């Protein structure tokens, strides 16, 4: 169960890998943009030793801003103003710092990460839909010949009986294993034909030996019509014979 759960998680990530990569690239661009804004506007408040050059600054933002509390960890501790005038002027410019910090929190930590989470959840839903579609297809169509349930129920021996007795996938698997392990010199002509189709010496393997949309018990409408016509003709012939016998008997009595 744990292995199946792990495989499901891996499949969910791989299912929308392209979207996740695009979202991560967008996140890196947002990070780089906020880094430039922070260096340009809030350079005096940057911590010492974290932005010597652009590369070091980007790595510092990438490692600390995501793991900690956002880009505010890249700056020194704020000095809160005592009046509204000091909030807009001076060295601290607390309003710019507040807008820069909160906008990063909303855009990156909330929206972008929520988008990535939504992509993963959507992938789980897509995998579930695919699995349900495959299971529904197996319930409505024969895995071997691809005939649908309605056709087999109306013109055959019934879908469930057909899958169990005529085209049981396990029997075909056992047959292939039997042919694969059997000594080539002992193969019959039919077994040799299937072996050459499934394991060819040259070229691609072929599955034309499998029945496609046909089975021995399937009676088509045309065949039913033909059989019905033959039965009607037989009944008419018998009636004509009876009528002739009655006419002969009537003439004898006279």
């Amino acid at each position: 169960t744990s292995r199946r759960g792990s495989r499901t998680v891996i499949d969910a990530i791989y299912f929308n890998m392209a979207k996740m990569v695009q979202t991560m690239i967008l996140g890196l661009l947002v990070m780089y943009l906020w880094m430039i804004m922070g260096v340009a506007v809030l350079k005096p408040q940057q911590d010492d030793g974290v932005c010597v050059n652009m590369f070091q600054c980007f790595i510092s933002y990438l490692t600390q801003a995501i793991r900690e509390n956002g880009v505010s960890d890249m700056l020194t501790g704020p000095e809160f103003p005592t009046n509204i005038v000091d909030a807009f002027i001076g060295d601290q410019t607390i309003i710019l710092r507040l807008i820069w910090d909160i906008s990063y929190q909303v855009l990156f930590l909330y929206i972008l990460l929520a988008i990535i989470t939504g992509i993963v959840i959507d992938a789980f839903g897509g995998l579930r839909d695919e699995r349900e579609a495959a299971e529904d297809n197996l319930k409505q169509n024969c895995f071997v010949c691809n005939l649908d349930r309605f056709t087999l129920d109306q013109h055959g021996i019934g879908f469930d009986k057909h899958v169990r007795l005529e085209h049981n996938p396990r029997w075909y698997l056992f047959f292939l294993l039997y042919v694969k392990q059997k000594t080539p010199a002992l193969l019959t002509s039919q077994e040799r034909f299937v072996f050459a189709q499934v394991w060819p010496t040259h070229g691609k393997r072929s599955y034309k030996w499998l029945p496609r949309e046909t089975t021995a018990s399937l009676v088509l409408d045309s065949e039913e019509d033909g059989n019905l016509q033959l039965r009607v003709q037989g009944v008419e012939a018998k009636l004509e014979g009876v009528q002739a016998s009655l006419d002969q008997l009537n003439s004898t009595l006279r």
Side-chain angles (χ1 to χ4, degrees):
T1 303
S2 59
R3 181 180 299 177
R4 181 179 297 179
S6 301
R7 181 56 186 268
T8 303
V9 174
I10 295 174
D11 290 340
I13 295 175
Y14 181 77
F15 187 78
N16 281 334
M17 179 63 70
K19 293 181 180 179
M20 293 184 63
V21 171
Q22 293 174 1
T23 306
M24 291 179 181
I25 293 175
L26 178 61
L28 293 177
L29 293 176
V30 172
M31 175 70 72
Y32 190 79
L33 176 63
W34 254 249
M35 179 199 72
I36 295 176
M37 293 172 58
V39 173
V41 180
L42 303 172
K43 180 64 175 178
Q45 302 179 43
Q46 297 282 341
D47 277 338
D48 295 335
V50 297
C51 280
V52 176
N53 52 46
M54 296 298 290
F55 178 78
Q56 185 195 37
C57 195
F58 179 71
I59 297 299
S60 300
Y61 271 73
L62 188 62
T63 55
Q64 296 185 25
I66 296 178
R67 295 187 305 167
E68 304 296 338
N69 298 320
V71 291
S72 61
D73 292 331
M74 304 301 301
L75 306 179
T76 58
E79 295 180 4
F80 298 102
T82 57
N83 55 72
I84 192 172
V85 177
D86 293 338
F88 289 92
I89 61 175
D91 296 334
Q92 288 291 326
T93 57
I94 191 64
I95 293 299
L96 291 178
R97 175 171 177 162
L98 185 63
I99 295 174
W100 179 70
D101 187 15
I102 294 178
S103 59
Y104 173 84
Q105 293 274 353
V106 173
L107 291 176
F108 191 84
L109 297 182
Y110 298 153
I111 296 179
L112 289 179
L113 294 183
I115 290 175
I116 295 176
T117 304
I119 291 174
V120 175
I121 296 175
D122 180 68
F124 278 109
L127 291 175
R128 184 183 64 252
D129 293 340
E130 286 187 354
R131 183 177 65 254
E132 292 177 352
E135 292 176 353
D136 183 68
N137 183 67
L138 289 177
K139 294 178 181 178
Q140 298 299 326
N141 297 278
C142 175
F143 179 76
V144 176
C145 68
N146 202 38
L147 281 171
D148 59 274
R149 178 183 289 271
F150 177 81
T151 301
L152 291 169
D153 288 341
Q154 294 296 320
H155 306 289
I157 61 175
F159 179 81
D160 295 331
K161 190 174 181 180
H162 165 80
V163 172
R164 187 175 67 255
L165 299 179
E166 288 187 326
H167 288 167
N168 193 322
R170 294 184 181 87
W171 293 355
Y172 281 85
L173 176 61
F174 295 155
F175 173 70
L176 291 177
L177 293 175
Y178 168 77
V179 171
K180 181 67 174 178
Q181 297 176 359
K182 191 174 182 180
T183 304
L186 300 179
L187 291 174
T188 64
S189 58
Q190 292 87 352
E191 294 170 350
R192 191 176 296 108
F193 171 77
V194 173
F195 187 90
Q197 292 286 309
V198 180
W199 297 283
T201 306
H202 303 286
K204 298 180 179 180
R205 60 179 59 184
S206 173
Y207 297 97
K208 294 181 179 180
W209 59 277
L210 289 170
R212 300 306 299 168
E213 298 186 354
T214 183
T215 183
S217 64
L218 183 65
V219 180
L220 299 179
D221 292 338
S222 59
E223 295 179 359
E224 289 183 347
D225 294 341
N227 294 333
L228 180 60
Q229 186 175 1
L230 290 176
R231 290 197 295 268
V232 171
Q233 291 176 355
V235 172
E236 290 177 350
K238 290 180 180 180
L239 289 175
E240 290 177 358
V242 171
Q243 184 65 37
S245 299
L246 291 175
D247 292 342
Q248 184 178 3
L249 180 63
N250 188 24
S251 61
T252 302
L253 292 176
R254 289 179 181 179

